[in-house]
């Protein structure tokens, strides 16, 4: 489903965020991407979502080599990916329902279909009763769940989450992770960047460790013991 081959990313500042990463994530798999701050977790997710382009290497998602996708086609490519951020990026002057509807409005769906799907997505995260509320009136955990509803509303086969529980207490974090778990159980491929070791331990899924832009278990590159 997601295939990285010798991927490197150097930003225009000269900062090398990823050195040489090769990995494969199967369709229907759920994995955690872990590593200290600055290890390259966000960058890796951004490359898969085509928010950034790699400097070296190949990324193949769902059979498509991303290097062959022109900038014009990125919005179409991105419809198969739901992204969740730590600070959820909700629009504060729009209702919860309107926020969740956004990807569908952009995709040009009909009004009745949008309403139906928005309600289905809000229902999945337990927030159907907040459809007309403004995000500001919700708790942090609820706001994050709205972000998740928005990410899954067009049923993408892939979910990418960047520190989705970074602002939440352990109990709420577990709640959010259970949601990802549920989407994974219906076949969605899920990749979650997190440095919450306790949470990752509880979830008991595959862990992909990054250390200074390389895979932690990369046999071609010794990593100091910590
Ligand atoms: P993580 O998500 O693991 O904290 P990042 O992928 O955000 O790691 O960052 C990896 C490295 O790349 C860091 O040194 C960071 O400062 C740098 N970096 C991230 N984004 C940019 C950017 N847009 N421009 C320049 N350097 C960046
Ligand atoms: P539909 O009748 O369109 O299939 P459902 O009532 O089954 O709609 O549920 C739709 C909701 O399912 C979506 O809005 C979303 O919250 C969630 N979802 C996201 N991705 C998937 C998926 N791959 N499989 C099933 N449900 C998903």
């Amino acid at each position: 489903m997601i295939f990285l081959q010798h991927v490197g990313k150097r930003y225009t500042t000269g900062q090398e965020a990823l050195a040489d990463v090769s990995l494969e994530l199967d369709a229907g798999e759920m994995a955690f991407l872990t590593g200290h701050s600055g290890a390259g977790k966000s960058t890796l997710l951004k490359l898969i979502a085509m928010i950034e382009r790699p400097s070296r290497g190949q990324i193949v998602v769902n059979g498509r080599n991303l290097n062959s996708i022109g900038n014009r086609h990125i919005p179409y490519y991105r419809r198969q990916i739901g992204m969740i951020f730590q600070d959820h990026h909700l629009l504060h002057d729009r209702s919860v329902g309107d926020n969740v509807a956004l990807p569908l409005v952009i995709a040009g769906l009909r009004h009745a279909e949008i309403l139906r799907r928005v309600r289905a997505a809000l229902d999945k995260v337990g927030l159907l009763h907040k459809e007309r509320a403004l995000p500001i009136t919700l708790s942090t955990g609820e706001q994050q769940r709205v972000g998740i509803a928005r990410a899954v509303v067009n049923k993408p086969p892939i979910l990418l989450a960047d520190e989705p529980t970074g602002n939440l207490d352990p109990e709420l974090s577990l709640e959010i992770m259970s949601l990802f778990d549920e989407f994974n159980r219906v076949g969605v491929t899920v990749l979650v960047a997190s440095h919450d070791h306790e949470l990752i331990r509880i979830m008991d899924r595959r862990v992909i460790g990054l250390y200074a832009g390389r895979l932690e278990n990369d046999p071609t590159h010794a990593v100091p013991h910590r």
Side-chain angles (χ1 to χ4, degrees):
M1 183 61 129
I2 300 177
F3 191 64
L4 279 79
Q5 207 172 17
H6 298 300
V7 169
K9 172 64 180 176
R10 186 182 288 281
Y11 285 104
T12 48
T13 55
Q15 176 66 46
E16 185 176 62
L18 293 175
D20 182 357
V21 173
S22 299
L23 65 87
E24 196 174 350
L25 200 66
D26 289 336
E29 200 173 4
M30 174 164 171
F32 286 97
L33 194 57
T34 184
H36 62 89
S37 167
K41 305 183 294 295
S42 282
T43 299
L44 201 150
L45 295 182
K46 283 177 183 166
L47 294 181
I48 297 169
M50 291 196 82
I51 294 167
E52 295 281 352
R53 296 256 190 192
S55 316
R56 286 183 310 278
Q58 317 263 345
I59 304 175
V60 177
V61 176
N62 220 346
R64 288 218 52 188
N65 189 324
L66 304 195
N67 291 339
S68 74
I69 299 178
N71 289 345
R72 232 160 24 95
H73 294 287
I74 292 176
Y76 296 96
Y77 166 76
R78 224 175 263 152
R79 279 184 201 173
Q80 64 183 327
I81 293 180
M83 273 218 84
I84 292 124
F85 307 91
Q86 175 168 348
D87 50 1
H88 54 67
H89 297 179
L90 297 178
L91 301 174
H92 284 292
D93 57 345
R94 311 268 186 99
S95 72
V96 162
D98 285 350
N99 267 280
V100 175
L102 217 56
L104 304 179
V105 172
I106 292 169
L109 265 67
R110 297 156 57 114
H111 184 70
E113 179 66 10
I114 290 177
L115 261 187
R116 194 182 70 77
R117 292 224 207 161
V118 164
R119 289 187 178 147
L122 282 175
D123 190 38
K124 287 243 158 91
V125 301
L127 286 177
L128 192 50
H129 59 295
K130 297 287 188 183
E131 189 180 4
R132 291 167 190 282
L134 284 174
I136 195 84
T137 65
L138 305 187
S139 71
T140 319
E142 286 173 334
Q143 289 182 12
Q144 190 55 292
R145 275 148 62 195
V146 177
I148 293 171
R150 184 186 50 190
V152 301
V153 74
N154 58 357
K155 296 194 170 187
I158 299 171
L159 277 184
L160 303 176
D162 195 356
E163 299 285 357
T165 61
N167 291 325
L168 304 179
D169 64 41
E171 197 178 321
L172 285 175
S173 298
L174 200 57
E175 228 172 76
I176 295 293
M177 285 303 167
S178 319
L179 282 176
F180 291 134
D181 213 67
E182 277 170 41
F183 289 118
N184 177 248
R185 276 172 214 282
V186 297
V188 180
T189 306
V190 182
L191 185 58
V192 182
S194 172
H195 57 234
D196 188 335
H197 294 294
E198 178 59 12
L199 195 59
I200 292 171
R201 192 188 59 74
I202 295 171
M203 296 303 292
D204 194 24
R205 297 295 193 131
R206 176 178 172 194
V207 177
I208 300 166
L210 277 178
Y211 184 87
R214 290 177 194 271
L215 290 183
E216 221 163 22
N217 57 1
D218 186 348
T220 65
H221 194 80
V223 169
H225 282 290
R226 283 169 298 154

